Amino acid sequence: MSIQRWDFQEQARELRGQRDLSTFDLVSIDDLSPEDIEIILDLAKIFKESKAEKLSLLKGISIINAFYENSTRTRSSFEFAGKHLGADTINISGAGSSVKKGETLLDTTETLAALQPQIIVIRSEFSGMPEFLARHVSASIVNAGDGWHEHPSQALLDLKTINDHHGSVKGKVVTIVGDVLHSRVFGSLARLLKKQGAILRVACPETFIPEKGVEVFGFEYFSDVEKALQGAEVVYALRVQEERGSKGYIPSMREYSKTFGISAKRLAMAHPNSILMHPGPVMRDTDVHSALVAIHDQSKILDQVENGMAVRAAILWMIGERKDGSVKAYKAL
Ligand code: CP
């Protein structure tokens, strides 16, 4: 028997009860308590099942997606998630906005906030920009990726993807391979995996290790990717971020691919029940060999994208509609 639209809404409402997130903004994984993470993942299950339906949980809520850096997955899934829950969503991009005329991001965001949306989802090349803006506007700010810093909704959808396959990440070996230095995905995922009790390994050229990375994120470093892959239950490849100057840290992309690229032979060195993940966009034959990208049995790259909509719907609902009726306090300039 198929579950009807009303049932999805009732299930979501019942599961949520009177709960609110412990934060008004989502700029870092560290904003979230263990209970926040649990409710987001539980709600995401319902929103994934209900994706063919239009719900009305965010009816009357306005969301602005302000993307000042390119995006395919994050932008489309935040928009889809808002629409799925019945919110009014509009999209702003850097190229089509007055940012191109020299307006500061603070002035632009205050201008957007004057339209009184409940949520502004922001992607910016500047690390720390969402946190700065969150202090100055009453709308809730959701970080959709800031510079080299964090991408919290990506980490949450990654956790859901791992849990869907392995049940839980606690005690599981997760090997992250690639340009962790320039990766905001790494910034959020490493924080979240540490909170969830995963065993984290990192394989990359030594030049890609963030200063104090081992201390802050608690990973074991490997210069030999094949050793890092032995027994790994999750193999997570990252893109070499040429647009952030990564090429200056390695001899050549060809050498990187040969030394660190994930091939079928290397994937076979991981645990037999391992999964392959990548946040996208994938640089085929550099970070991951083409044959593994979307169709390989162990590849969860498209599942990550699908989970993105569901997890982002959960985040938007929890942030956009507070049960306790409290209003965000912010510090005016
Ligand atoms: N993973 C990710 O952030 O992809 P997009 O840049 O396409 O949004």
Side-chain angles (χ1 to χ4, degrees):
M1 193 174 69
S2 67
I3 298 172
Q4 298 304 305
R5 171 178 174 269
W6 185 247
D7 294 336
F8 285 126
Q9 298 208 151
E10 282 306 297
Q11 278 178 46
R13 285 199 180 105
E14 201 172 304
L15 180 66
R16 179 174 180 178
Q18 292 307 305
R19 280 193 278 184
D20 287 319
L21 291 190
S22 56
T23 176
F24 282 87
D25 305 291
L26 177 55
V27 300
S28 165
I29 279 294
D30 287 338
D31 292 333
L32 298 172
S33 67
E35 294 74 27
D36 293 337
I37 294 165
E38 192 183 324
I39 185 73
I40 289 169
L41 295 188
D42 286 348
L43 285 171
K45 274 187 204 154
I46 297 175
F47 293 141
K48 188 172 176 179
E49 275 182 52
S50 67
K51 66 179 184 295
E53 308 284 344
K54 179 111 175 152
L55 309 182
S56 58
L57 294 166
L58 279 176
K59 196 165 186 302
I61 299 288
S62 304
I63 300 170
I64 299 179
N65 296 315
F67 277 64
Y68 302 110
E69 251 196 356
N70 295 342
S71 168
T72 297
R73 292 148 201 80
T74 314
R75 180 175 167 156
S76 57
S77 61
F78 264 118
E79 185 178 357
F80 187 29
K83 290 193 157 91
H84 178 52
L85 299 191
D88 296 311
T89 61
I90 64 159
N91 298 317
I92 305 280
S93 62
S97 76
S98 293
V99 169
K100 279 285 170 211
K101 298 179 193 164
E103 189 173 54
T104 66
L105 273 188
L106 177 59
D107 286 340
T108 301
T109 308
E110 285 189 323
T111 302
L112 296 174
L115 299 171
Q116 302 194 345
Q118 278 74 14
I119 302 174
I120 300 176
V121 178
I122 181 157
R123 168 165 289 192
S124 163
E125 68 187 288
F126 303 111
S127 299
M129 182 57 79
E131 187 177 354
F132 171 73
L133 296 174
R135 278 191 250 130
H136 295 299
V137 297
S138 56
S140 287
I141 297 289
V142 174
N143 180 5
D146 61 328
W148 305 8
H149 179 224
E150 281 216 44
H151 194 350
S153 63
Q154 175 75 45
L156 290 162
L157 73 88
D158 289 337
L159 179 62
K160 174 163 170 50
T161 307
I162 296 169
N163 288 353
D164 284 352
H165 184 81
H166 284 304
S168 159
V169 78
K170 195 172 164 57
K172 298 279 184 305
V173 176
V174 179
T175 297
I176 300 183
V177 184
D179 179 6
V180 297
L181 178 67
H182 299 100
S183 176
R184 54 195 174 209
V185 171
F186 177 77
S188 286
L189 186 59
R191 284 176 170 87
L192 185 57
L193 292 176
K194 192 174 171 187
K195 281 177 195 282
Q196 298 284 312
I199 299 161
L200 184 57
R201 297 177 183 166
V202 167
C204 61
E206 210 172 320
T207 45
F208 280 156
I209 294 290
E211 205 185 326
K212 299 196 178 156
V214 176
E215 251 170 273
V216 174
F217 299 111
F219 59 78
E220 186 181 358
Y221 169 66
F222 292 77
S223 56
D224 180 342
V225 70
E226 296 182 2
K227 284 194 181 138
L229 291 172
Q230 304 290 329
E233 282 138 311
V234 177
V235 178
Y236 197 110
L238 291 170
R239 181 171 64 91
V240 174
Q241 303 206 16
E242 287 188 69
E243 76 276 25
R244 301 190 206 283
S246 292
K247 270 175 129 175
Y249 292 76
I250 51 176
S252 71
M253 294 297 265
R254 190 178 160 80
E255 190 274 347
Y256 173 84
S257 173
K258 197 173 154 198
T259 317
F260 289 96
I262 304 298
S263 60
K265 188 173 159 223
R266 286 188 173 146
L267 189 59
M269 294 172 184
H271 192 283
N273 189 29
S274 64
I275 54 172
L276 172 66
M277 298 173 69
H278 191 299
V282 176
M283 295 296 105
R284 280 174 181 256
D285 300 320
T286 299
D287 348 301
V288 176
H289 288 202
S290 273
L292 301 178
V293 174
I295 51 158
H296 191 274
D297 284 351
Q298 283 165 268
S299 172
K300 297 290 173 191
I301 295 172
L302 295 180
D303 300 66
Q304 289 172 266
V305 176
E306 191 183 357
N307 283 333
M309 190 287 287
V311 164
R312 287 170 177 134
I315 293 168
L316 292 177
W317 187 38
M318 292 300 293
I319 284 192
E321 196 225 20
R322 285 190 83 81
K323 298 290 178 190
D324 67 3
S326 59
V327 176
K328 181 181 161 189
Y330 65 98
K331 191 181 100 192
L333 275 176

